[in-house]
Amino acid sequence: MNRREVIKMLGLSGAFMATRKLSLASVASKDNPIVLSTWYGQGSVANSKAWETLEQKGAAVDAVEQGVMISENDWGNCCVGLGGNPDRDGKVTLDSCIMNHKSECGSVAFLERIKNPIQVARAVMEKTPHVLMVGTGAQQFALEHGFKLEEDKLSNHAQEAYTNWLKKSEYKPIMNIEKGGVIHQPMVPKKLENGKWNHDTIGMIAMDAQGNLSGACTTSGMGFKMRGRVGDSPIIGAGLYVDNEVGAATATGQGEEVIRVSGSFLVVEFMRQGYSPEMACRKAVERIIKKTPNNINEMQVGFLALNKKGEYGGYALNKGFDFAVKSNRLDNKKVDAKHIK
Ligand code: SD4
């Protein structure tokens, strides 16, 4: 055995031991197709839509696109699509990305008045040599590709939330809110009067019948954010990452913290090292705590992961993050993610 083979063997046995030691709750054997979405309430509905494609042996990339569009089209959703909460200037700006099993990806950020940003992200992936398009350029691209410019108006619930927010903020930046370049606006999940959660970004990851992985993530971002602020959701490696050899991961919660540690990429890399999806998510949350020890009680971050074996898991910083899993065996199982705090 030469040196390289010895090193490879040691590396593999290390990963094997890590898997044995750390493997946590997950499906026992390959259970594909399978689809998972952040936040059970909307995630289960979106999963069911994605399932229509998956059970027909359709591609995971098509399934996730169709799935998250359910949330984008939900005018009652506080945090996804044009019905979502606006920024400080009263404008809804959307962030979205998609990634397939070939590591092709596309995303849009700070996109206004386009109903389905995930479809625009897919068009960026398939029709341009680029990955990310933003703002008016992204909107222009969308219009050139047949998307319609929607009316510039807020949903009733977003208008109400914005009016309430304006009362307190008096339309001034909150003191020190941008201190150190970090916006520490609290993002602890909270049940709203209409029974919905104030967090609803949808991150969806899936494996199709062919064993290929894909993912999508879409959001209106942090409510009442500074104009031009972009979170983790359209950033490949932060809000979403797919490596067809290893697994897929997505994130929700305080985007700044997720970007800082390249969260979804980090989760996939932990899975590559042999950690179970749940433990990989936990380790990414631990990294966030290590890098940002302050304010962790006032914000939420949740990760969701799926590996190539069809095992899945999630982990959150604080209590309250749940997700939905659908496969032939699991009919939109609700999982309350474990949490560190
Ligand atoms: C963001 N990560 O814009 C998103 C927000 C989110 O549930 O996930 N909310 O930072």
Side-chain angles (χ1 to χ4, degrees), residues 115-304:
K115 193 172 171 192
N116 292 116
I118 195 67
Q119 289 190 304
V120 187
R122 186 161 183 176
V124 172
M125 172 170 93
E126 290 177 347
K127 298 186 163 78
T128 79
H130 309 304
V131 168
L132 170 62
M133 295 191 70
V134 304
T136 50
Q139 190 188 65
Q140 186 186 328
F141 168 78
L143 297 178
E144 283 165 9
H145 285 80
F147 291 85
K148 188 174 146 232
L149 193 64
E150 302 291 337
E151 230 182 296
D152 186 10
K153 69 163 192 201
L154 298 181
S155 61
N156 290 344
H157 68 84
Q159 183 62 60
E160 199 184 315
Y162 182 52
T163 308
N164 282 339
W165 181 81
L166 282 178
K167 271 186 226 157
K168 282 197 218 132
S169 75
E170 295 165 343
Y171 200 67
K172 278 185 197 151
I174 297 167
M175 178 90 79
N176 294 331
I177 202 166
E178 296 90 20
K179 197 172 164 193
V182 183
I183 304 169
H184 283 303
Q185 192 160 322
M187 284 199 76
V188 177
K190 208 170 71 194
K191 194 104 173 195
L192 305 173
E193 276 163 27
N194 59 8
K196 288 179 179 281
W197 291 88
N198 68 345
H199 270 253
D200 273 301
T201 290
I202 185 160
M204 178 182 274
I205 46 183
M207 179 158 54
D208 59 28
Q210 295 71 38
N212 286 324
L213 296 163
S214 287
C217 187
T218 185
T219 187
S220 54
M222 187 189 285
F224 324 117
K225 59 197 173 186
M226 286 176 74
R227 185 146 180 80
R229 178 267 186 190
V230 170
D232 60 316
S233 305
I235 309 292
I236 297 295
L240 177 73
Y241 197 70
V242 178
D243 183 329
N244 205 44
E245 289 174 14
V246 178
T250 189
T252 182
Q254 185 88 22
E256 283 71 13
E257 308 308 323
V258 178
I259 294 172
R260 200 189 313 285
V261 299
S262 297
S264 293
F265 180 74
L266 187 61
V267 171
V268 171
E269 290 309 298
F270 281 134
M271 290 197 285
R272 193 191 307 278
Q273 289 171 23
Y275 289 100
S276 69
E278 184 179 289
M279 189 49 84
C281 291
R282 182 188 161 107
K283 285 184 73 67
V285 174
E286 285 171 352
R287 181 72 61 86
I288 287 178
I289 294 173
K290 191 171 168 207
K291 298 291 172 192
T292 314
N294 302 322
N295 297 303
I296 53 173
N297 294 323
E298 288 156 32
M299 65 183 180
Q300 178 64 303
V301 172
F303 289 109
L304 193 52

Side-chain angles (χ1 to χ4, degrees), residues 88 91 95 189 210 212:
R88 287 182 188 185
K91 303 282 183 199
D95 299 339
Q210 295 71 38
N212 286 324

